[in-house]
Amino acid sequence: MILFLVLCLGTVSANVGTDKESLRLSIGQSGLDFASDVSAHMLSELEKFAAGGLNLPDIRGDVDITGLRLSGLHLEKPVLSVVPNTGLNVKTPGVELQVNGNWRYNGWIAVTGSLTLTSKLDLSVTAGAYADMVNKRFATVPKGCSVSYRSFSIDLNNAFYSWIVSFFEDTVKSEIKKSVCSEISGVLRTTLNGVIASIPHEIDIPNVMSVKFGPDANPAFSKNQIDLPAHVSAGGQSFPFNPTGISGVMLPGYMACILLSDYTLNTASFAALQAGKIIERLPNQWVTASNPLMNTAYYQTILPGLYSAHPDTAITYKVTNTRYPTIQFLHQNIMLHLPVNVVLEVAGSKAITASVTLGVSGVVKVNGGDITASVTNITHVSKLLDTKVGPISDLESLMDTIIENTVEPMVNNVLNKGFTLPIKDWVLLKKTSVTAQQDYLEVCGDVELTDKSLAEIKKIIAQLVG
């Protein structure tokens, strides 16, 4: 139970998706600026691959240009911006190319030779995205590509034949434009989507279950923000509650925000934590046998019938859920509702059995990639189910005592210890904000890439150009 509490309390524009939206990733302009910095690193890796020689398509005409091989590439830091209602624009100014190849003049005389092409150009690409509901993932699609030359020259490595350049220079310029945009289009339609497909589309809750997600609606591209709405992919399973959607806006000043609805966590709870799945026994590591509550002597005045029947005898407690827990995010608080049965046992026999509906309020904070939390309040409503030690005049006070000294310290011990987000190996969260809104949790922050992320970028570049 306690592990589940930690995981639930820690996991992370107006209406962007449908009323089934339960997870949203929002990326602001500062996030795009950070992506530009990351892209600069990726481009340096691309330059290294290009230096190894990328083959370009042959060009046929009055002069055949064949065996074209990219031998040099220099890329400046790109500029990323949102094109409202369209997609993400990437401008890469001053791209420097060097291409080696062969040429053959097919005119009145057959002449052949080698060539070196150098060029400096400005590249602008706009990539859109849509919700692929069949494959249950987001996908990219080209929306625009333009190439403009700053400089362009072809050296045939033989001054005598330089006059031949005039026969094909314009054609080569045009074909390079087509080839560059065609290659980029292919990357956006196929290669990049293959990379996206390989990314896990789930949140793993260790020792409980994995919650799978799919797109809820097409991404929304506004002036300085991109929103990716998603919802739980339940595999046909139905739940006794309905999503309400997310009607929030991204907090300004952060690179990105994750908005997570309580519906998401409740689906996980419903699927994995039905009645009897959560069992806690005391004494344990949080409430040891030396705790005064673990002996009947503690109840000598409160429950004289218990002490009379079992004087100075060790007590054990068993807490079992009678229904799946539910989470609610509400007005800066995270609320957990959990109905349980509490059994007090003495000498191996049940002495008191009560049903208790717990209401736990908590607050969460993020540090790096670690989530910690603490309980601010616990309320309960109790009902006596059975007693073997005579009447109990004040059940609520008895449960107050038991919960305050057993359940509450157990919960706080685990929540204060926290757990590590699955993304910590990839990014570290900085300048974070965790806010409980109406029915969803908003986790915003800036990020810093780890060495593992940078190594993975290298692999992705190899896939894209391979």
Side-chain angles (χ1 to χ4, degrees):
M1 176 182 76
I2 306 305
L3 175 61
F4 179 77
L5 288 175
V6 176
L7 294 168
C8 286
L9 291 175
T11 306
V12 304
S13 57
N15 288 7
V16 173
T18 71
D19 58 1
K20 294 183 180 180
E21 182 187 11
S22 53
L23 176 69
R24 183 191 305 171
L25 172 63
S26 298
I27 303 170
Q29 183 58 52
S30 61
L32 295 180
D33 294 340
F34 175 74
S36 178
D37 293 334
V38 174
S39 297
H41 177 85
M42 295 176 70
L43 295 178
S44 68
E45 295 299 325
L46 180 57
E47 290 176 353
K48 295 176 185 177
F49 282 105
L54 291 175
N55 295 320
L56 301 178
D58 292 342
I59 300 172
R60 302 291 180 177
D62 292 337
V63 179
D64 292 339
I65 309 298
T66 60
L68 291 174
R69 191 173 181 83
L70 186 63
S71 57
L73 176 66
H74 176 70
L75 298 158
E76 297 293 338
K77 178 181 174 180
V79 178
L80 278 64
S81 61
V82 179
V83 181
N85 304 316
T86 302
L88 177 67
N89 178 259
V90 182
K91 287 185 171 67
T92 308
V95 178
E96 297 178 13
L97 299 174
Q98 180 172 313
V99 178
N100 295 325
N102 302 308
W103 60 273
R104 175 186 175 86
Y105 177 59
N106 298 317
W108 55 274
I109 183 173
V111 183
T112 62
S114 62
L115 63 82
T116 301
L117 183 156
T118 58
S119 174
K120 190 170 186 177
L121 54 85
D122 295 330
L123 175 64
S124 177
V125 176
T126 300
Y130 66 95
D132 182 351
M133 305 307 287
V134 175
N135 295 305
K136 297 181 180 179
R137 63 172 183 261
F138 291 108
T140 57
V141 63
K143 288 289 187 178
C145 176
S146 66
V147 176
S148 59
Y149 290 101
R150 294 189 186 182
S151 63
F152 186 91
S153 67
I154 298 176
D155 183 359
L156 299 185
N157 300 316
N158 189 322
F160 181 76
Y161 296 117
S162 60
W163 57 273
I164 295 177
V165 171
S166 63
F167 283 86
F168 62 84
E169 182 173 359
D170 288 343
T171 300
V172 171
K173 280 185 175 181
S174 177
E175 289 299 323
I176 286 179
K177 284 185 178 182
K178 291 179 183 178
S179 295
V180 168
C181 288
S182 177
E183 289 295 317
I184 291 173
S185 177
V187 166
L188 291 174
R189 290 187 185 279
T190 59
T191 312
L192 184 56
N193 283 327
V195 173
I196 293 173
S198 68
I199 298 173
H201 289 60
E202 61 185 14
I203 291 179
D204 183 44
I205 302 178
N207 302 320
V208 180
M209 69 172 294
S210 292
V211 182
K212 294 185 178 181
F213 290 92
D216 178 69
N218 289 332
F221 297 94
S222 54
K223 184 178 179 181
N224 293 308
Q225 183 174 321
I226 300 173
D227 294 301
L228 301 173
H231 63 231
V232 173
S233 176
Q237 185 171 6
S238 60
F239 303 101
F241 42 82
N242 296 309
T244 58
I246 296 175
S247 58
V249 295
M250 177 179 176
L251 292 178
Y254 293 96
M255 288 185 184
C257 293
I258 295 176
L259 283 66
L260 179 68
S261 82
D262 46 32
Y263 174 81
T264 299
L265 300 179
N266 289 332
T267 59
S269 173
F270 178 81
L273 298 173
Q274 289 291 337
K277 292 292 186 179
I278 300 173
I279 300 175
E280 293 288 351
R281 298 180 183 275
L282 293 82
N284 57 22
Q285 58 182 315
W286 296 285
V287 183
T288 64
S290 62
N291 189 298
L293 256 71
M294 307 310 295
N295 192 285
T296 58
Y298 183 89
Y299 296 103
Q300 187 171 358
T301 303
I302 306 173
L303 294 173
L306 174 65
Y307 184 75
S308 176
H310 306 281
D312 298 315
T313 307
I315 294 175
T316 60
Y317 299 88
K318 180 180 178 182
V319 181
T320 308
N321 71 308
T322 57
R323 194 206 67 194
Y324 60 92
T326 59
I327 290 285
Q328 182 181 15
F329 300 126
L330 182 65
H331 305 310
Q332 306 300 321
N333 287 305
I334 301 170
M335 312 289 295
L336 174 81
H337 302 277
L338 176 62
V340 298
N341 278 351
V342 178
V343 178
L344 184 155
E345 298 180 346
V346 181
S349 299
K350 296 179 182 179
I352 299 172
T353 303
S355 66
V356 181
T357 300
L358 295 172
V360 181
S361 301
V363 293
V364 177
K365 60 183 178 179
V366 182
N367 181 22
D370 297 315
I371 293 286
T372 59
S374 60
V375 172
T376 56
N377 186 44
I378 294 182
T379 61
H380 62 85
V381 176
S382 306
K383 178 182 179 181
L384 184 64
L385 299 180
D386 186 45
T387 174
K388 306 295 189 202
V389 292
I392 300 174
S393 59
D394 192 348
L395 180 64
E396 293 299 335
S397 295
L398 174 62
M399 289 297 108
D400 271 342
T401 300
I402 293 175
I403 290 170
E404 181 182 346
N405 290 277
T406 58
V407 175
E408 187 168 345
M410 289 164 56
V411 171
N412 262 322
N413 266 288
V414 177
L415 294 183
N416 288 334
K417 183 179 179 182
F419 76 103
T420 299
L421 288 170
I423 62 171
K424 188 177 182 180
D425 286 344
W426 306 92
V427 297
L428 297 178
L429 296 177
K430 304 186 301 179
K431 188 189 159 187
T432 55
S433 168
V434 182
T435 308
Q437 305 285 7
Q438 181 71 38
D439 297 327
Y440 68 90
L441 182 70
E442 184 170 32
V443 180
C444 297
D446 293 346
V447 299
E448 179 180 313
L449 293 183
T450 64
D451 290 340
K452 183 175 181 177
S453 291
L454 297 177
E456 193 65 23
I457 287 172
K458 208 171 184 179
K459 294 180 184 177
I460 292 173
I461 288 295
Q463 285 182 264
L464 295 179
V465 301

